[in-house]
Structures are given as C-alpha cells and as structure tokens.
Amino acid sequence: MQRSFTLLYTSLLGICLGSGSSFPSNINIGGLFPNVSHEYEVFRFALSHHQDIPKLVPQVDMVLMGNSFSMTYAFCSQFSKGVYAIIGLYDRKTVNMLMSFCGALHVCFVTPSFPIETANQFVIQLRPELQDALVGVIEHYGWTKFVYMYSSDSGLSVLQKVLDTAAEKNWLVTSVNVESMTGASFLKVFQDLDKRKEGQIIIDCETERLTGILKEIVEQGKNAKSYHYILANLGFLDIDLTDLRKGGANITGFQLVNNSEPSVSRIVQQWMEFDNKDSKVPKTGLKYMGALTYDGVKVMSTAFQNLRRQRIDISRRGNAGECLANPPAPWGQGIDIQRALQQVRIDGLTGHIQFNEKGRRTNYTVSVMELAPSGPKKVGYWNEDEKYVTTASLIRASNDTYGLLNRTYIVTTILESPYVMLKKNHEPLVGNDKYEGYIVELAAEIAKHVGYHYKLKIVSDGKYGARDPETKMWNGMVGELVYGKADLAVAPLTITLVREEVIDFSKPFMSLGISIMIKKPTKSKPGVFSFLDPLAYEIWMCIVFAYIGVSVVLFLVSRFSPYEWHAEDYEEGAEPQTPTQAAASNGVQLSQTPMQQNANQQSPEQTNEFGIFNSLWFSLGAFMQQGCDISPRSLSGRIVGGVWWFFTLIIISSYTANLAAFLTVERMVSPIESAEDLAKQTEIAYGTLDAGSTKEFFRRSKIAVFEKMWSYMKAADPSVFVKTTDEGVMRVRKSKGKYAYLLESTMNEYIEQRKPCDTMKVGGNLDSKGYGIATPKGSPLRNPVNLAVLKLNEQGLLDKLKNKWWYDKGECGSGGGDSKDKTSALSLSNVAGVFYILIGGLGLAMLVALVEFCYKSRTESRRMKVSTARAAAATAAQAFHCSALESGASAPYTELQSYGLYANNTVKI
C-alpha cells in the first residue's frame, strides 16, 4: 500500500514537472521587414526592452515588400524554423498571400500595416481603423463637397466608408487616385479643382507618399489660406509641415501617439538614446509606425507570458512541417496563441490596446490636430463611445465676422495714380498716413463698415498679378493673396476668370473697359472752303448735276408745252395787238407792204420765257431760295419746279443743320478711331501693361481683331509691353503719335485730365469689366467686404470718390475728359471762303460787264459803220450821263441817235 502511494505520488509529480517544463523559455518569433526600415530598428529596440521569460528570440528576414515570391520564401523559411508568431509589414500586393498562409497554417501575424477587411482571425492588426474618426471630423467641419485623394497601396476601406456616408448624407465627393501620379498630372488635377473652386481636400496616403504630395502642393502654391486639407494619416507630428504653414493653409490631421504622456515620452527619450551600431538608417524621432511596432512586440511578450502562467503547452516538437504542403498541415497550438494575442489588454505607446474577435483594434482614442501659426495643436479627439469631442479653447465660429474685430489685417495694394499715391510730405509720416488717393479712402471706408484694423502694404514686385507660364507661380498682389502674404487686396484689380479660380472677389466697386490712349493730335486749321464740309464731296457733285439736269428738263418741257408760248405784248385782260397797232399806239407811223400787213394779221409773234439761260437762272434762284421774276405757266413746268423746290428745301435744311456744328467746333484729326484701325495698320505701334489683365484679355481672346492685335504685340521688336502704367504713358507722349497704349478706361480718363494734357482716349471700350476687392479663398472677410461695397455704392460714395480724384482735381478743364471738340466763337478763318467767293463773284461780274460792253460796241460800230472807239465812247457817255435824255443830247449822242442807235421806240426801215 505504501509502495503504491509512492508510485502514484511520483507519477503525479512527474506529470506536474513535465507540464511545467513543456513551456519553452525562449520563444522564436519571426520578423518580415523591408530593407533599411524604421520599423526594423524599433523592433530591435523593443526586443531590448522585453527580456523577461519567456524571452523573445527574433528570426528576421529582410524582404522586398512588393515581391510576392520574396515574401513567400521568407514566410516559409520562418515557418520551417518553428517560429511561434510573426511580426512584420505587408502591402497591397502581398497581403492576400500572407492572409492565405496564416489562415491555412494557423500562424499568427502581428502587423502595424494598414487595417484590412478580413475574416482571418490569425491576423492581429495593431493600427486602428480611421474611417469613423475621419467621418466624424468631416461632419464637425460641415463639409458637404470635398475631394478625396487616396493611394490604393493602403487599401480602399477608408474611401469606401466615406463614400457610403456621402450617399446617406448627400455629400458631393470627388475621388482622385494619386498612387502613380506625376508632377505634371498632379498640376492638371489641381487646375481642374481650381476651376471647380474645390478647396476642401482629404489626402489618404502612407507617410512617404503623403510627404511627396505635400511637397507638390507647396510647389504649386496650393498651400494658401483658401485651402483646407485633412490628412488621413495617424502620424500628424511625423510630417514636416513647415512649408505648408508658411502659406497659411488650413491643415487638420490625426495623431495616434500621445507624446504628452510621461510613459510615452520616457520611451521616446530611451529610443533617441538607444545605441544601434548596426543601424543603416539615420536616427529620427519615434514615428507612429515605429510606435505600433514597439506595441506589437509588447503585445507578443504579454501574450506569451500569459500562456506561460496558464501552463498551456505550445511547444513545437520535431519538424515544423512544409508550408506549401497540399493539403496544408495547420499547427495545432496556433489557436491557443491566437486567443492569447486577442485577449491582451495593455496600455502602449499608441494608447489602450485591445482587440476584438476579428483581431482588430477596439476601444482606442485618436487625437485630432490642427496646424496653428505656432505649430501643431490638439483641437479634439475621437473614440468609439464619445465620437468627436472638441477640446480647443477657441473654436471656429459659423459667423463670418467672428474674430474680425480688434485684428490688424495686411492690405496689399499698388502705387498707381490716382488710386494710391505718396503724399508730398510723406517722409515724416508712418503707416497708412503716408498715402492718399481713391483706394486709400475706399480702404478706410470699408474697414470702418466691416470693423477691422488694417495696414497698407505696397506690393513688392509692383505687379497686379499673373501666373508665370513656366513656373505656374502667381506674382503681384494675386500672388501675395494666394501664398498667404496678405489678407486683402484693395487696388484697381480687374476681376478675371483666371484670378477668380485662385482668389475671391467682391462685387465691382468700379466699372470700366479696355481703351486706347494716343497722343493728342494738333488741331486742324479750318480750310478756306470749310463751309463746304457739312456735305460730302459726292453730294456737292450730285447737286451740280441735279441743277444742270433740272434746268435742261425745264427748258425742254417749256418748249414742248403750248401753254408756255404766248404773244410778245400780250397782257392779261387785253387783246393781242399787231405790230402796226402797237406802233400806232406809240405814235409812230410805219410803212408796211401789203404782204407784211397780211402776215401780221394772220400770225402774231409768239415768245417763250424759258430759254436755256432763263431755265438755269430759275433753278439757281430756287436753289438759293431767292426766287425769280419768271415762273412756269404750264402744268409740266410747275411739276418740275415743285420737285426742285422740295429737293432744295431738304438739301438746304440739312446743310444749315450741319453748318453750325462744323463752323463752331474746333475738330482734331485723329489717326485712329477704333481697335480695327489699329489692327489694320503697322505704322503706329501699340501695347499693354506686362503681367496684367489687359494682356491676358488679348492672349485669351477669340475675336479675330483682337487675335490679330495679339499676334502683332507678342511678335513686335522692340517689345511693345511696358512694366508700369507710367512707363506706357511716357512712351505715348514721347513717341510723337507712333505709339498707342491699351489700358483701363478709368486710368485713361484720369491721365487725360493731367498736365501736360497731351493724351486722349479714342474709340469706345473694347470690353466691359470691373475692379473688385480680392480676398484669399475661403476668407471670412469676403462676405463682410462684399456687403460694405454694396452699401457704399447705394450711398453714392463710390461716385463721389471718383469725381473727387478724377475731375475735381483735374488740371485740363472740366468735361470729364470726354470732350475732344470744344465750341468757340467763329473766326475769320472759318468763313474766309465765303468772302473769297463774294469777291470772286464781283470781279467776275465786272469782267463779264466789260466783255458785254466791248462786244456791244463792236457790233454797233459795224452796223452803223463807225469806228469802234467812237461807238464805245458814245456808249460810255450814255452809261455815265443818263440825264442827257432829259437836259439835251450831246453831240455824240445826237449823232448816234440820227443813226437810230439809241432811238427810243423808233424803227429804222
């Protein structure tokens, strides 16, 4: 009996000792890490911190992450060595292969890589899922329209969750895959986003790829205040955001490692002091992927310690088996290790570590960070129970005017008369007091209405703002807004499409258009026959031909009409008389033959007053509106006269109406009057301001005339573009009319009112646009400034300011710069031609009278058979001694009278 009890005791003791000694003191764990990786260095650091029994013995293979054959070989090699679990990384190309091996062989794989959707409980995922926290932040900011940039290397689980939520909440999400995107394609994507005014962007990438994308954002100038980025990455503090902060962009992200915890900071300090002579990677701070690796080693160490305390036999005896066997031979103790790993509850560098039945992290907390001017700042946190919780002392208010009061904003502007000018005594002055002008007063009024303090800053490069075609960078005032150097641009800045894509504009505070400036031509001296100018040369020629034609027609109809013929001495109410009766009535006795008496009795002499000369005289009298002593008697003649009178009425009225303007207005002859005139000539050069909206207008225009002008301007040598408006004006003044400057009409009108008053605006405006106040994209100043501009416009203050700085302070007289013709009193030069015609007509009349005198004297001398001189003397004596008929005739007169030369009512037979 005693012997039996001894045997039983020995057996039980052997069993107990055997079971206790069955748990190994050294645990082989595998490691799959890429070459020269931060995670491998942290893995070695973590092993040095976990030397408790059972001791973890690493079996590490360096692999190519994207090579499935390399990963397969390394996994099988470690499995054949009898590892109890494996810690390592995977990517999109190798994750499915690892999941398959782990599930088939019951080997646990602990990984800090991106979480995946899988039913394989042998995969222990250390990285928490981010999709729920990301959705909570999106809802907190109230985004309903945003861009989601992702890399398929890290899976699509987060994107799928966001798209599902977007479908429920009617969000508008634009997804962009940036996995293999180059710099050129990245630029094109952002240009498309700018056109759609997309400024809210989520970037979901691994840290290395995310760093490259952020670098592209800085290079393309997309780090302005108008952009808000959410980085879907758990290592916000691991990313260098210095360049992004310079641009003023809004950056939000997530942080898994809480460096403020004493236990965390102590381990981080030990990591920095860890002497790793074999390291091939420069020592950096402990990144979140390294922290996850450290926690993975801690989880494995804790799990095996728990298994040892529970005296669970996990020893691997004999050959571990072949991982590629068909069918596969799973490891029987793998289930126990998997359960032990999932049951771990510890606090690590990444917070509370706990897994659900699927091997995923649960009950964790993620900090929400923002990039403040002073650096990264925690503004809230997210967990599964409370969701998103804000912890920032100052939160963003929904009211746009929040924070505007008691703040000083940088207002960029440009020195340009009359908008912004230095005062004459500006040297002792400081700040805004140094400047005066339209924009200076406008900025003050807007600040007063909105309620903020501001400081005027002159743009450093002196340009308005254009994008460089090579570097794609913005210059001028637009560039200062885009890159966060200014908060507001109050200047004569034209509202254009390309600028609206990168900045916001208020309602226009001034309407204008592109106009043409030329040197004012000298006033044309009135010509001698300037009174003919009211009617064109062609009209005068037509009037002459019409005058001749009407006279000829009147002559012809008078000849053909019987009613224009009448007896010579016929008077109304009297009977026609024969020549004999007419002579008898005058007391003259005529001797006639019987044949003559018979002819006179049968056919009295008929006359027609409208000979060719009388017809011309009638038409001329009617045209001159002076009338005539003869008039047509027939119906046809009166029709001709009526239509001629109507014609002359219209012509004379039109001439009189235009004559007043032509004689009382001094006109200047301009070499060009429109853009078409400029385009079809090459003698006068023309250009615009370089790096301005006017140049962009011609560059982008599809109108044929403007395209032709742009082709000329860009090919002109020397260049027709100027750096400043002052340079363009001086070029106009010094070019002697051989250069035209294209600029905004408001500036053109202002310069026209400045001494030496030698420029002028010609033609109408080429387009219609406006000046607006610019703000960065998404600026809270936009709406208040917009309302202030509308209020100032309704109050009439904008017009009052323009009149003050344009016309009230003008130096070239009133008129607003629009009057090119000035009314003045008539001078002799205006009507000299009329006097010349009068003098010429009088001279011609005297000449014709002399010719008639000579001709008549010669004719009478031949008829009377006396000398021409004697006949001329007698005629002259009669002309200058008309009273001789009454007081008695002189000898010459009596002598000629005897010949019947001046016989009154005497017929010489």
Side-chain angles (χ1 to χ4, degrees), residues 175-189:
S175 59
V176 179
N177 190 347
V178 295
E179 178 180 353
S180 58
M181 189 174 293
T182 62
S185 55
F186 188 84
L187 173 62
K188 185 177 184 302
V189 168

Side-chain angles (χ1 to χ4, degrees), residues 98-149:
L98 287 174
M99 298 302 104
S100 176
F101 277 126
C102 292
L105 302 176
H106 291 189
V107 176
C108 291
F109 188 79
V110 181
T111 178
S113 295
F114 56 88
I116 58 173
E117 294 286 341
T118 178
N120 190 341
Q121 70 270 26
F122 292 95
V123 179
I124 307 301
Q125 303 180 26
L126 294 167
R127 189 191 299 188
E129 294 179 336
L130 190 59
Q131 49 263 44
D132 292 331
L134 179 60
V135 170
V137 171
I138 294 173
E139 292 177 341
H140 167 70
Y141 287 124
W143 288 11
T144 58
K145 179 182 179 182
F146 55 89
V147 179
Y148 193 97
M149 293 185 175

Side-chain angles (χ1 to χ4, degrees), residues 523-531 533 662-663 665-667 827-832:
K523 297 178 181 178
S524 59
K525 296 181 179 180
V528 173
F529 297 101
S530 60
F531 64 89
D533 293 341
F662 273 81
L663 293 183
V665 175
E666 296 179 357
R667 307 186 68 84
S827 62
L828 181 61
S829 59
N830 295 108
V831 293

Side-chain angles (χ1 to χ4, degrees), residues 210-455:
L210 178 60
T211 302
I213 292 176
L214 296 180
K215 184 179 179 180
E216 290 285 346
I217 289 175
V218 173
E219 291 179 354
Q220 301 301 334
K222 307 303 179 182
N223 58 332
K225 294 180 180 179
S226 57
Y227 292 93
H228 189 175
Y229 297 94
I230 296 179
L231 308 182
N233 186 283
L234 291 170
F236 188 79
L237 298 179
D238 300 339
I239 307 169
D240 184 8
L241 302 174
T242 305
D243 293 335
L244 284 174
R245 184 170 58 188
K246 292 179 181 179
N250 301 304
I251 308 293
T252 303
F254 303 91
Q255 180 65 24
L256 185 60
V257 180
N258 188 2
N259 292 326
S260 62
E261 288 288 337
S263 58
V264 175
S265 60
R266 183 177 64 254
I267 294 176
V268 171
Q269 182 64 28
Q270 293 174 359
W271 156 252
M272 296 303 296
E273 297 173 354
F274 178 64
D275 185 13
N276 190 358
K277 298 180 180 179
D278 298 332
S279 175
K280 299 179 181 179
V281 181
K283 180 60 69 70
T284 60
L286 187 61
K287 300 180 180 180
Y288 89 98
M289 285 291 288
L292 288 171
T293 305
Y294 184 93
D295 286 347
V297 175
K298 188 175 181 179
V299 166
M300 297 175 73
S301 177
T302 303
F304 286 113
Q305 288 177 11
N306 292 337
L307 288 173
R308 185 175 182 273
R309 283 194 297 268
Q310 297 172 12
R311 299 181 182 276
I312 298 177
D313 184 12
I314 60 170
S315 60
R316 303 188 64 171
R317 302 177 179 87
N319 190 358
E322 178 63 41
C323 70
L324 298 179
N326 190 12
W331 179 35
Q333 287 75 20
I335 295 292
D336 295 330
I337 297 176
Q338 179 261 334
R339 290 174 181 171
L341 289 172
Q342 287 187 358
Q343 292 174 0
V344 170
R345 302 287 189 274
I346 61 173
D347 290 329
L349 297 181
T350 59
H352 181 74
I353 299 176
Q354 182 179 343
F355 303 97
N356 59 16
E357 66 278 0
K358 295 182 179 180
R360 301 175 189 170
R361 284 281 292 268
T362 183
N363 196 19
Y364 58 89
T365 300
V366 176
S367 298
V368 179
M369 311 290 291
E370 281 191 359
L371 184 61
S374 58
K377 181 180 179 181
K378 182 178 178 180
V379 295
Y381 64 88
W382 184 93
N383 58 39
E384 295 177 345
D385 296 331
E386 300 176 273
K387 303 304 179 183
Y388 180 77
V389 178
T390 300
T391 61
S393 57
L394 289 177
I395 61 174
R396 296 187 179 183
S398 59
N399 188 359
D400 289 337
T401 60
Y402 174 81
L404 294 182
L405 295 175
N406 300 323
R407 291 189 59 186
T408 300
Y409 288 90
I410 301 299
V411 177
T412 182
T413 188
I414 190 171
L415 283 176
E416 193 80 79
S417 300
Y419 300 101
V420 179
M421 302 174 289
L422 288 170
K423 294 181 179 179
K424 294 181 180 179
N425 56 343
H426 67 277
E427 289 84 2
L429 302 176
V430 294
N432 301 340
D433 296 334
K434 296 189 300 182
Y435 307 105
E436 64 176 355
Y438 177 90
I439 289 297
V440 176
E441 295 191 14
L442 177 62
E445 290 291 336
I446 291 175
K448 183 174 67 175
H449 281 76
V450 176
Y452 64 84
H453 301 287
Y454 69 98
K455 178 182 178 181

